């Protein structure tokens, strides 16, 4: 297609309605019709990027292949659409202001007064267009809710774009809440009416309203909303709670969301969608043949979203194996030497995910030791791999109090430490130190890993060179490499130059694998991920 067409997605009434899922699902429907889709998230908060935001507050930080720390919605995008997001697909108000202020300091505005309109809005529009480049359809999700003070420049920018581009190049879908009042047993359409009124007062008229509620929105309510909000009743869509998010593309398709938007975009002639993959995924998810229970020993156990991609990846592996994966989060800080076997004995496998800071580390080490000694499948991701190295060093190599310098700077055996200087594949030298900027010093994004022939990892990936995404500061200390290998810990994956350990396996263990990267970021429901798929397949076979 010659020109990129835009679908803007705004939200009203409250946040956390699932705008990201709606955007991703609409993307999936267009992809199924053979269109090239780009998905973009605009975050109205002032942080320059979400990299330094606590997972307790903001959910997981998703990492793109090009090494950007982004909002977790980009994870939804990549799970629903075969599209690889880059740093251009997510930006915050902070980033926009940072750029405009830089321009101003440089004198780019020739002494003019720098204002929200047009300077901030111009920068927002420039970035939206940049994220859309090369796509047939660019879906642009605006974070927050309409009426928030922070989101106004973003809403204004899309108003301008809808005015400046031909009408058939843009469409707007608005997601709102239709609450059910228990005592009067009534659905209330008023919040939706108000939110659309607010949107219209900002100069925007939605082409389609996606209503969030628990049970299907009845026809009468659709008609009422349509009348009050000036849309066709057919364009009022019920996005009610579903048993799995992966059925949302099918739910939206059944109500013709893609057709409504394609009509507005003057694209009615594109081919009909192929949705067999999604039907298979939903069928496998809703009709599992087996059950498997996995202990995830981590620290951010209270907020569901802080391990979003991880939970999804385990679920995808369940879909591939036709199994229901029962994921139990166990607070590592509560695990002690004496209670570990009691806490873990009913599980078929143990996973220690990524994390930062020293809380819960000793508990993770006990959990890892338990899995190693009891021949339970153990999967260590990033911090989880470092834990495996520490455990092995302490208990097999007898390096007393071996540790990572992240948790004990004075440890006698720093088996995990900072590699202060490292050349990446492009030849660029990266520097890291204990005191450098939190945001700036991580090994981030997709990096090549060379896999040892005939290892379990080789069997799983069926490749000798892979690319997976990193987000960490510490590494296996190369000085301990030989000792680890001699003791039976195999280093089966290394960085492109052979220097850094990227994957480990224990030879005399049925399934023990650690990786310094985060494979959960590249898993999707249609294929799963080679490591997760096999981890779950192996766990299913464990009798507890
Ligand atoms: N805290 C560890 C590091 O910085 C691990 C990070 C992670 O698990 N993502 O190296």
């Amino acid at each position: 297609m010659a020109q990129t067409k835009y679908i803007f997605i705004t939200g009203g009434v409250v946040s956390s309605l699932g705008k990201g899922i709606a955007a991703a699902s609409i993307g999936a429907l267009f992809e199924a019709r053979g269109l090239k889709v780009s998905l973009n998230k605009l975050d109205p908060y002032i942080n320059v990027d979400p990299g330094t935001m606590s997972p307790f507050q903001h959910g997981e930080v998703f990492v793109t292949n090009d090494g950007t720390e982004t909002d977790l919605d980009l994870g939804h995008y990549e799970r629903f659409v075969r599209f690889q997001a880059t740093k251009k697909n997510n930006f915050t108000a902070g980033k926009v202001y940072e750029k405009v202020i830089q321009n101003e300091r440089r004198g780019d505005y020739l002494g003019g007064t720098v204002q929200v309109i047009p300077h901030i809005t111009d920068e927002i529009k420039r970035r939206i267009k940049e994220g859309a480049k090369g796509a047939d359809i660019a879906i642009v999700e605006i974070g927050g809710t309409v009426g928030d003070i922070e989101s106004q420049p973003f809403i204004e920018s899309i108003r301008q774009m809808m005015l400046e581009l031909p009408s058939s190049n843009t469409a707007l879908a608005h997601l709102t809440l239709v609450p059910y009042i228990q005592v009067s047993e009534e659905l209330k359409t008023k919040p939706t009416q108000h939110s659309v009124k607010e949107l219209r007062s900002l100069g925007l008229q939605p082409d389609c309203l996606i209503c969030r509620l628990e049970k299907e929105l009845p026809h009468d309510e659709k008609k009422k909303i349509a009348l009050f909000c000036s849309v066709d009743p057919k364009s009022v869509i019920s996005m009610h709670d579903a048993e799995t998010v992966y059925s949302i593309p099918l739910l939206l398709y059944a109500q013709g969301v893609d057709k409504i938007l394609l009509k507005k975009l003057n694209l009615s002639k594109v081919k009909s969608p192929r949705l067999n993959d999604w039907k298979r995924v939903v069928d496998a998810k809703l009709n599992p043949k087996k059950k498997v229970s996995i202990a995830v020993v981590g620290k951010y156990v209270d907020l569901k979203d802080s391990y979003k991609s991880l939970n999804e990846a385990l679920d995808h592996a369940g879909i591939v194996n036709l199994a229901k994966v029962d994921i139990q989060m166990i607070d590592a800080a509560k695990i002690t030497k004496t209670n570990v076997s009691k806490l873990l004995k009913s599980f078929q496998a143990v996973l220690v995910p990524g994390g930062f800071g020293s809380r819960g580390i000793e508990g993770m080490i006990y959990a890892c030791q338990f899995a190693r000694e009891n021949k339970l499948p153990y999967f260590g991701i990033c911090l989880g791999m470092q834990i495996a190295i520490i455990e092995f060093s302490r208990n097999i190599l007898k390096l007393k109090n071996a540790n990572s310098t992240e948790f004990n700077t004075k440890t006698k055996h720093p088996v995990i430490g900072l590699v202060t200087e490292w050349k990446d594949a492009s030849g660029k030298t990266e520097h890291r130190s204990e005191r450098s900027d939190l945001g700036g010093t991580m090994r981030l994004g997709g990096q090549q890993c060379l896999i040892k022939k005939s290892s379990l990892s080789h069997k799983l990936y069926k490749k000798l060179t892979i690319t997976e995404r990193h987000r960490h500061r510490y590494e296996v200390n190369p000085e301990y490499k030989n000792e680890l290998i001699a003791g039976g810990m195999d280093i089966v994956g290394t960085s492109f130059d052979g220097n850094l350990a990227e994957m480990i396996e224990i030879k005399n263990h049925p399934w023990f694998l650690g990786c310094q990267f985060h494979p959960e970021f590249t898993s999707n429901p249609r294929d799963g991920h080679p490591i997760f798929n096999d981890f779950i397949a192996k766990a299913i076979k464990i009798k507890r």
Side-chain angles (χ1 to χ4, degrees):
M1 246 166 33
Q3 261 180 334
T4 301
K5 309 235 174 184
Y6 293 87
I7 295 172
F8 298 107
I9 303 194
T10 52
V13 189
V14 290
S15 60
S16 300
L17 286 179
K19 228 184 315 153
I21 300 283
S25 300
I26 292 173
L29 293 181
F30 290 127
E31 179 189 65
R33 288 174 177 271
L35 294 167
K36 187 155 183 260
V37 178
S38 142
L39 285 138
N40 305 273
K41 173 82 193 281
L42 279 42
D43 283 310
Y45 50 75
I46 312 291
N47 305 57
V48 174
D49 65 48
T52 51
M53 289 166 93
S54 160
F56 285 120
Q57 240 192 55
H58 197 252
E60 145 190 294
V61 174
F62 186 76
V63 179
T64 59
N65 194 54
D66 69 350
T68 329
E69 299 173 288
T70 70
D71 186 83
L72 56 75
D73 271 334
L74 273 82
H76 297 313
Y77 299 169
E78 289 196 1
R79 288 188 279 273
F80 279 80
V81 178
R82 296 195 193 282
F83 139 89
Q84 207 170 61
T86 71
K87 59 172 178 290
K88 300 201 164 107
N89 302 112
N90 179 215
F91 60 88
T92 66
K95 194 148 246 151
V96 171
Y97 276 87
E98 183 185 58
K99 180 74 175 44
V100 171
I101 290 168
Q102 265 169 17
N103 294 349
E104 187 272 337
R105 293 289 84 186
R106 234 186 7 228
D108 288 5
Y109 301 117
L110 305 172
T113 309
V114 182
Q115 294 180 297
V116 173
I117 306 172
H119 302 97
I120 295 293
T121 50
D122 278 354
E123 176 61 15
I124 293 174
K125 288 190 286 180
R126 185 186 71 76
R127 284 179 182 266
I128 292 177
K129 288 176 190 160
E130 211 174 57
K133 238 180 221 149
D136 298 327
I137 306 255
I139 297 175
V140 181
E141 178 194 345
I142 323 289
T145 43
V146 170
D148 292 350
I149 193 157
E150 287 99 344
S151 58
Q152 279 197 23
F154 291 88
I155 303 286
E156 167 61 15
S157 304
I158 62 174
R159 187 194 67 79
Q160 292 176 17
M161 278 184 79
M162 293 187 87
L163 193 72
E164 287 159 4
L165 292 169
S167 154
S168 64
N169 279 18
T170 62
L172 173 65
H174 185 61
L175 197 85
T176 80
L177 176 72
V178 178
Y180 180 73
I181 308 295
Q182 201 83 42
V183 275
S184 58
E185 298 182 359
E186 262 182 311
L187 278 171
K188 289 292 177 194
T189 62
K190 190 78 85 190
T192 297
Q193 295 174 35
H194 275 297
S195 149
V196 173
K197 202 163 145 194
E198 177 87 38
L199 199 59
R200 289 164 82 185
S201 77
L202 298 169
L204 289 171
Q205 166 64 36
D207 297 296
C208 155
L209 284 174
I210 302 178
C211 301
R212 283 288 293 121
L213 69 176
E214 207 181 308
K215 301 217 173 75
E216 190 171 354
L217 185 63
H219 188 65
D220 281 352
E221 266 70 25
K222 281 191 176 179
K223 263 179 35 199
K224 187 167 171 193
I225 292 174
L227 184 64
F228 278 100
C229 301
S230 275
V231 294
D232 187 320
K234 282 207 191 77
S235 303
V236 181
I237 308 298
S238 171
M239 184 170 146
H240 40 278
D241 291 354
E243 276 180 273
T244 161
V245 288
Y246 298 121
S247 65
I248 304 294
L250 300 172
L251 180 76
L252 298 184
Y253 175 71
Q255 296 174 76
V257 172
D258 50 336
K259 273 211 192 108
I260 295 160
L261 295 169
L262 287 171
K263 192 167 158 219
K264 171 73 186 10
L265 299 175
N266 210 2
L267 288 175
S268 304
K269 288 204 187 68
V270 294
K271 66 176 191 204
S272 26
R274 299 167 64 113
L275 294 167
N276 287 349
D277 269 2
W278 290 108
K279 289 182 188 147
R280 172 182 56 82
V281 165
V282 173
D283 189 49
K285 172 76 193 165
L286 300 185
N287 305 297
K289 306 277 179 274
K290 297 155 250 179
K291 229 177 116 173
V292 60
S293 71
I294 309 291
V296 174
V297 179
K299 58 187 282 193
Y300 317 107
V301 290
D302 293 327
L303 184 74
K304 239 174 66 202
D305 271 354
S306 38
Y307 294 114
K308 184 72 193 160
S309 295
L310 177 76
N311 289 333
E312 291 302 311
L314 285 166
D315 226 35
H316 302 159
I319 289 169
V320 171
N321 284 288
L322 301 177
K324 172 169 174 24
V325 184
D326 179 21
I327 305 168
Q328 290 293 329
M329 296 296 310
I330 299 185
D331 186 351
K334 298 210 171 103
I335 298 184
T336 62
K337 195 179 178 132
T338 41
N339 70 9
V340 62
S341 67
K342 194 167 154 247
L343 283 172
L344 295 183
K345 71 169 186 283
S346 58
F347 294 99
Q348 287 160 286
V350 175
L351 191 155
V352 176
F356 293 84
S358 58
R359 203 174 61 85
I361 294 301
E362 295 302 318
M364 294 176 200
I365 295 173
Y366 290 131
C368 176
Q369 181 179 8
F370 179 84
R372 182 178 57 72
E373 291 178 345
N374 292 284
K375 307 267 185 233
L376 268 192
Y378 176 87
F379 186 6
I381 297 179
C382 205
L383 174 64
M385 160 165 151
Q386 299 174 355
I387 291 292
I389 296 282
I390 297 170
E391 191 280 321
F392 197 83
S393 306
R394 286 186 189 179
N395 298 322
I396 299 288
L397 306 183
K398 303 293 177 206
L399 301 175
K400 206 165 165 239
N401 297 328
N403 214 332
S404 161
T405 54
E406 179 180 5
F407 316 126
N408 178 3
T409 43
K410 298 199 181 71
T411 173
K412 201 163 150 230
H413 297 292
V415 289
I416 306 291
L418 274 182
V419 172
T420 48
E421 204 180 288
W422 185 71
K423 260 198 189 28
D424 70 14
S426 67
K428 201 172 93 198
T429 308
E430 302 265 357
H431 294 277
R432 279 180 225 118
S433 82
E434 309 276 358
R435 272 173 307 157
S436 34
D437 236 16
L438 273 187
T441 54
M442 284 209 254
R443 189 139 78 92
L444 269 177
Q447 312 215 342
Q448 250 185 27
C449 165
L450 311 179
I451 296 183
K452 187 169 150 184
K453 227 177 169 157
S454 309
S455 58
L456 169 65
S457 302
H458 180 213
K459 203 181 99 204
L460 302 184
Y461 279 98
K462 299 185 179 69
K463 278 188 212 160
L464 290 171
T465 308
I466 56 161
T467 299
E468 290 278 14
R469 300 180 196 176
H470 291 247
R471 181 173 186 256
H472 57 101
R473 222 167 264 125
Y474 293 82
E475 312 280 353
V476 176
N477 187 343
E479 286 169 25
Y480 287 87
K481 220 159 128 181
N482 293 339
E483 210 171 331
L484 284 162
I485 294 172
M489 173 68 84
D490 208 0
I491 296 178
V492 298
T494 60
S495 52
F496 76 100
D497 54 6
N499 286 339
L500 304 176
E502 307 283 44
M503 299 187 83
I504 55 162
E505 290 170 17
I506 292 182
K507 275 181 252 161
N508 65 353
H509 188 287
W511 207 101
F512 192 106
L513 194 152
C515 50
Q516 194 55 78
F517 48 76
H518 289 272
E520 68 270 31
F521 292 142
T522 52
S523 175
N524 72 70
R526 289 180 275 184
D527 314 321
H529 180 286
I531 305 180
F532 281 95
N533 293 354
D534 200 56
F535 174 61
I536 292 299
K538 191 76 195 178
I540 289 170
K541 294 198 188 115
I542 302 286
K543 302 258 176 301
R544 297 302 279 179

